[in-house]
Amino acid sequence: MHKSGSSSSLGPGGLDLTQAFFRPILSAAPPSPTKRHTKISVVGAGNVGMAIAQTILTQDLADELVLVDAKADKLLGEMLDLQHAAAFLPRTKIMADVDYAVTAGSDLCIVTAGARQMPGETRLNLLHRNVALYRSIVPPLVKYSPETILLIVSNPVDILTYVAWRLSGFPSNRVIGSGTNLDSSRFRFLIADHLDVNAQDVQAYIVGEHGDSSVALWSSISVGGVPILSFLDKQEIAYEKETLENIHKEVVDGAYEVIRLKGYTSWAIGYSVANLARTLLRDQRRIHPVSVIARGFYGIEDGDVFLSLPAQLGRSGVLGVANVHMNDEETHRLKKSAATISELTSQLEI
Amino acid sequence: MHKSGSSSSLGPGGLDLTQAFFRPILSAAPPSPTKRHTKISVIGTGNVGMAIAQTILTQDLADELVLVDAKPDKLLGEMLDLRHAAAFLPRTKIIADVNYGVTAGSDLCIVTAGARQMPGETRLNLLHRNVSLYRAIIPPLVKYSPETILLIVSNPVDILTYVAWKLSGFPSNRVIGSGTNLDSSRFRFLIADHLDVNAQDVQAYIVGEHGDSSVALWSSISVGGVPILSFLHKQEIAYEKETLENIHKEVIDGAYEVIRLKGYTSWAIGYSVASLARTLLRDQRSIHPVSVIAKGFYGIEDGDVFLSLPAQLGRSGVLGVANIHMNDEETRRLQSSAATILELIGQLEI
């Protein structure tokens, strides 16, 4: 079903002009085998998957972009819509198929497939629907791209990253969940918006579960290098603990609010995941709060659980977890977040 | 309704930290009045409007991006979804309102509002629904931004560009329709895909009506500077006129096919319009096939009609129309396209 381009002749009784139009230079050798050819596959051509795919395309992150979905018509329509923009973009090979063979040799596989979170539905309620789906997605992906990095976006992301890890048999550094990368962006936006400063100058992590039990690391927030809480103490500016909790709540509610207003979220998660793709594929070695295997960090010892921690990412995936200082309360909340996730994970039959 | 940011305090009983956090430098003067502040307003936050808005944002084309729509919930949801990506983007002010006051001082106003083209529906069938909508949109836009450039995207684009021109009272160089910019991209994609060459090396225009009577300018298509038709003659490669018409038909059908498959088009038109926005706002003086006032060009003399011609665009809008050679048949088809549009315009009460 997939149209890979360059094999189509121009219409019935078409003109095969390629060899007439360009004459090859003498004794041409094929391209170097070490040529960089970055291939990204996006599984799921819904609002989230397409926002990710389109942002990756605009930001010129891949040489080849593959879309996979179960719905053939929708898939083909989305592929054509991207291909039609060829005159405005760097040349990127764009393919699509319901069959996973088209994903072979992917450097990065981004999985967004899954039921959409309905208004009022918590991420955890989606779980059972999505686990069954992953049993049909992850095995073929790893079969065709045994060296790939899996980047999981579907919700509940922490549990589905664990599921993907188990189903893939991959080492844990090659299975990552988008986690709280976006929550942290919303958090940084709120703080930056209030202070009239660029959001990229606000260092602030939300960690733990991408959901209601996420943990805002207030003790390590800094703006332009100035740690917020100790600054407030030094300036003797009083603040209520409740105020901080309200800000955090506004972040947690952020996604629900967008879903309530427009039916789903797409653009922000698109930028968030494209940002992760860039760090991974271009070996940027930057720290992102993403869902990684948490055992052994911050006192989390029971069971294999994935949740978001500030992780250094690069071409081989997760390079390590940053040793960000957490106070006692934050550590306590993080462990509680881990316990919440662990409990649900244990109910799955993987 | 609109949230403009930076006036919100962090939650109820919030912290007002701005002045505490950053100390201004001594005797600071306000910014130079000649500072560049590019403001783009997008009217209509449907699939097309949002794809345009998001592409503009990713490509960093504006300092301020404004969204306007009649549906406040959808509008607010879309604005928040873009704002939440703040950590991943250059700082851009993003605001939204149902009220046109927010568009004041826009450098460019992009109008996408209108009924969606249903499967099987021609663009011309949308006409009557959209003309009355424009009576509510254009007057407030020009009231708040009397110096702006209007870029019309809603279909049928040629007629609605004419309608916008009449309702605005603007000089014709400041009212442009997205026209066949995208059709030409699809055309260049098909040719480039067949020849395995970058689409940007294919110079090919589709002009006239953005629709069924568009005109493919075969006589001026060149690839890497080589004119296609005369090349085929010199190489004595036979081709059927029907083959060329099939390629053109594939372009026209391109939009209908995407609509049939995924329900609407969005990504390609998003890139297409962002490309026009860049040429206009950055004074690139590139030639784009867009809908402009055609009287006086290529033998079109009857009445004021807008249709796509290869037009040079820059900061003041349409700088001129390129004097591309058209053969007799192409000129005839163009005049026929003009007559089709003119007939429909004659039935409007503007």
Side-chain angles (χ1 to χ4, degrees), chain B residues 26-46:
Chain B
L26 289 171
S27 309
S32 158
T34 60
K35 68 179 171 128
R36 164 188 161 228
H37 182 90
T38 304
K39 179 168 176 173
I40 300 178
S41 289
V42 178
I43 314 304
T45 56

Side-chain angles (χ1 to χ4, degrees), chain A residues 5-6 8 15 17-18 54-55 58 73 78 81 84 89 185-186 193-194 200 261-262 266-268 271, chain B residues 6 8 15 17-18 20 54-55 58 73 78 81 84 89 185-186 193-194 200 231 261-262 266-268 271:
Chain A
S6 86
S8 59
L15 300 165
L17 290 178
T18 321
Q54 191 261 17
T55 307
T58 313
D73 278 1
E78 293 290 3
D81 206 2
H84 289 166
L89 286 170
S185 168
R186 289 183 180 123
D193 190 50
H194 177 74
Q200 286 162 32
L261 292 168
K262 65 174 258 194
S266 58
W267 309 124
Y271 285 116
Chain B
S6 85
S8 59
L15 302 165
L17 288 179
T18 322
Q54 191 260 17
T55 308
T58 313
D73 279 1
E78 294 289 3
D81 205 1
H84 289 165
L89 287 169
S185 168
R186 289 183 179 124
D193 190 48
H194 177 74
Q200 286 162 31
F231 170 81
L261 292 167
K262 66 173 257 195
S266 59
W267 308 124
Y271 286 116

Side-chain angles (χ1 to χ4, degrees), chain B residues 276-349:
Chain B
L276 295 174
R278 171 182 293 279
T279 294
L280 290 163
L281 295 172
R282 301 295 308 279
D283 199 24
Q284 294 297 290
R285 308 176 79 82
S286 307
I287 300 169
H288 293 265
V290 287
S291 196
V292 297
I293 198 162
K295 193 199 278 235
F297 299 105
Y298 300 102
I300 294 161
E301 301 297 339
D302 310 322
D304 291 318
V305 64
F306 278 72
L307 47 74
S308 288
L309 293 173
Q312 191 189 27
L313 305 180
R315 185 60 187 84
S316 50
V318 183
L319 305 172
V321 174
N323 207 3
I324 291 189
H325 174 264
M326 289 189 203
N327 61 29
D328 291 341
E329 167 146 15
E330 291 163 351
T331 308
R332 184 186 64 78
R333 287 191 183 194
L334 186 65
Q335 288 168 357
S336 182
S337 204
T340 303
I341 299 170
L342 198 56
E343 196 190 315
L344 278 145
I345 288 178
Q347 295 168 25
L348 302 171
E349 291 153 8

